[in-house]
Amino acid sequence: MSAIVDQSDERNTATITQDDGEGLLATVLQDSVDATAAVTQNQGLDNEAWISQQDEYSATHHNTATITQEQGENNLAKILQDGGVHNTAVIAQYQGSGNTADIMQMGGEHNTATITQY
């Protein structure tokens, strides 16, 4: 099962929640300024969550991306933020094993990236 959100323009918000699945895919694509994206996957196996936020470089544009994966095994979480200033990216993978997390921020400044796994 897959869920895809594709947004452009300004001040977009996307939220995807997936529970109790195997091989789930959640994708958020935002070509936007001041965008917010959140993906939550609970109790899964071999699930993937992707957030991509593209923004022009401006001191007033701030994007936020959050992926939470709980009680899963062999899950993958990736966040890409290109452009903007003061972007925030957070990946939290709790109570699982074999999980992989990756955050890439480029083309901006004063960004914050946090990965928590346990």
Side-chain angles (χ1 to χ4, degrees):
M1 185 181 320
S2 63
I4 300 170
V5 176
D6 190 349
Q7 299 174 314
S8 60
D9 212 358
E10 297 181 10
R11 296 175 199 78
N12 293 308
T13 300
T15 303
I16 296 173
T17 302
Q18 296 175 316
D19 293 319
D20 301 321
E22 183 176 334
L24 300 175
L25 173 63
T27 304
V28 177
L29 306 170
Q30 293 176 318
D31 187 358
S32 179
V33 298
D34 300 322
T36 301
V39 174
T40 302
Q41 293 177 321
N42 296 310
Q43 299 177 343
L45 174 67
D46 297 322
N47 296 327
E48 295 184 18
W50 301 75
I51 297 175
S52 175
Q53 295 177 319
Q54 308 290 320
D55 188 359
E56 61 188 63
Y57 181 82
S58 171
T60 61
H61 298 169
H62 318 287
N63 293 320
T64 302
T66 304
I67 296 173
T68 304
Q69 294 174 318
E70 295 189 50
Q71 297 178 345
E73 293 183 24
N74 302 319
N75 293 326
L76 172 66
K78 289 193 173 200
I79 297 174
L80 166 65
Q81 292 177 319
D82 186 6
V85 177
H86 297 286
N87 294 320
T88 302
V90 177
I91 295 175
Q93 294 173 317
Y94 301 121
Q95 299 174 340
S97 63
N99 297 322
T100 302
D102 181 28
I103 295 174
M104 180 181 291
Q105 295 173 313
M106 55 190 178
E109 57 187 47
H110 306 292
N111 297 322
T112 302
T114 304
I115 295 174
T116 304
Q117 295 174 307
Y118 71 84

